[in-house]
Amino acid sequence: MAETVIVLSSEYPPWAGQKLYQLGYVNHVVKESYQQVSVTAEFRFVPWDTLKDELTDKEYDAVSFGLKLKGEHADEFLMTLPVMHEEVRFLTLAQHSLLKWNTFEDLKKYRIGATRGIPYMLGFWEAKEAGVLNVELAESDFENMNKLLLGTIDLFPMGKTVGGLQINRHLHQMRSQFKWVRKPLYKFAGHVYYPKEKPQSHLWLRLFNEGYRKLTKSGKLDMMKRHFLAGKYDHKEE
């Protein structure tokens, strides 16, 4: 058995990122779980919008954080139990009346910010291309939060956990100016995925689950979760 597992990941701070502590919380969980069974995890980062193409690369063993591998990919991968959960909602300003919406058509009158390279929910970018949604791009979530404060956009979709952490840490004095739209765009869970076509995938999955159980039993996973909530994973490594 090879002693190193090659893992693909995409950027989604603080869950995953090349410049974060331990490459982000999710990748740290993967690394530590495999260490429990004497396996080294080696990470390769690829952009969100090219990850689908990278999945044809024969040089990787797993995907730790990337596309929600559902729909057309559902039958191509084995996956672990969830290693994280997130809920994506629209962030807006507290001064705005409570927004109610059911379809993208209900959002036509709003200026919506989006972060370049993030896939968001099924149909989001298609609605933009069709002219249903008025979307303008920014390079980061933080840039979009500042655009909200400046009034150049009305709404911005992002993970509620990540957004809450960023507001509390970087815009603490302005946190009362933000609010979340009640209806979620979508909810998702992060898994580790293994391509079914590769003979070793069942073994890698079994070893991860074994290591994950050991990590949980040791209490270290709970400590990592506390560190995540305390902001340890949203900083660069020293």
Side-chain angles (χ1 to χ4, degrees):
M1 185 193 73
E3 296 179 349
T4 301
V5 56
I6 306 300
V7 185
L8 293 184
S9 177
S10 287
E11 298 276 343
Y12 193 49
W15 297 112
Q18 295 181 77
K19 297 181 179 180
L20 305 179
Y21 175 71
Q22 293 291 347
L23 304 181
Y25 172 79
V26 170
N27 288 328
H28 195 196
V29 170
V30 174
K31 175 185 174 182
E32 291 292 334
S33 295
Y34 273 119
Q35 281 189 348
Q36 298 294 315
V37 291
S38 301
V39 173
T40 299
E42 180 180 308
F43 295 89
R44 297 178 182 174
F45 278 81
V46 295
W48 282 98
D49 52 3
T50 65
L51 179 59
K52 189 174 181 180
D53 296 329
E54 296 287 344
L55 295 179
T56 62
D57 181 2
K58 303 300 181 184
E59 300 302 317
Y60 81 98
D61 301 301
V63 181
S64 71
F65 203 90
L67 295 174
K68 297 182 293 177
L69 300 175
K70 298 179 181 179
E72 62 183 296
H73 295 292
D75 296 329
E76 300 176 21
F77 291 87
L78 306 169
M79 66 181 183
T80 64
L81 294 172
V83 294
M84 56 79 71
H85 293 85
E86 183 63 287
E87 180 178 272
V88 176
R89 297 190 186 191
F90 282 116
L91 185 66
T92 187
L93 295 181
Q95 67 196 46
H96 292 168
S97 59
L98 186 62
L99 173 71
K100 293 184 180 180
W101 69 280
N102 291 303
T103 70
F104 287 143
E105 289 285 342
D106 299 327
L107 303 173
K108 290 184 70 171
K109 65 180 180 180
Y110 297 101
R111 298 165 299 172
I112 300 174
T115 300
R116 191 181 305 277
I118 301 297
Y120 296 116
M121 67 186 298
L122 183 66
F124 182 86
W125 295 115
E126 289 80 359
K128 174 187 180 299
E129 293 301 317
V132 175
L133 292 181
N134 177 16
V135 178
E136 60 179 76
L137 296 175
E139 297 302 319
S140 69
D141 291 345
F142 187 71
E143 182 180 342
N144 272 311
M145 286 189 284
N146 278 303
K147 289 171 75 172
L148 274 178
L149 290 170
L150 291 171
T152 59
I153 60 174
D154 304 306
L155 302 168
F156 164 51
M158 71 181 306
K160 193 168 183 288
T161 300
V162 173
L165 292 173
Q166 289 194 25
I167 290 170
N168 284 335
R169 288 169 199 149
H170 307 301
L171 296 167
H172 182 74
Q173 293 182 333
M174 300 178 181
R175 67 188 187 280
S176 63
Q177 297 186 42
F178 294 102
K179 71 177 178 183
W180 296 96
V181 174
R182 185 171 299 173
K183 176 183 170 65
L185 277 83
Y186 59 95
K187 301 177 183 180
F188 70 91
H191 305 264
V192 185
Y193 295 89
Y194 303 87
K196 288 183 179 179
E197 67 180 27
K198 296 194 174 184
Q200 279 197 312
S201 287
H202 285 276
L203 176 60
W204 289 130
L205 174 62
R206 179 176 62 80
L207 288 172
F208 176 86
N209 287 338
E210 180 182 341
Y212 188 77
R213 286 192 293 269
K214 289 182 177 181
L215 190 67
T216 302
K217 187 176 181 179
S218 71
K220 189 169 185 177
L221 184 62
D222 283 337
M223 180 184 70
M224 292 164 65
K225 290 177 180 177
R226 292 195 296 271
H227 287 168
F228 173 79
L229 294 174
K232 189 169 185 176
Y233 291 94
D234 58 359
H235 297 289
K236 295 181 181 181
E237 291 191 85
E238 298 296 334

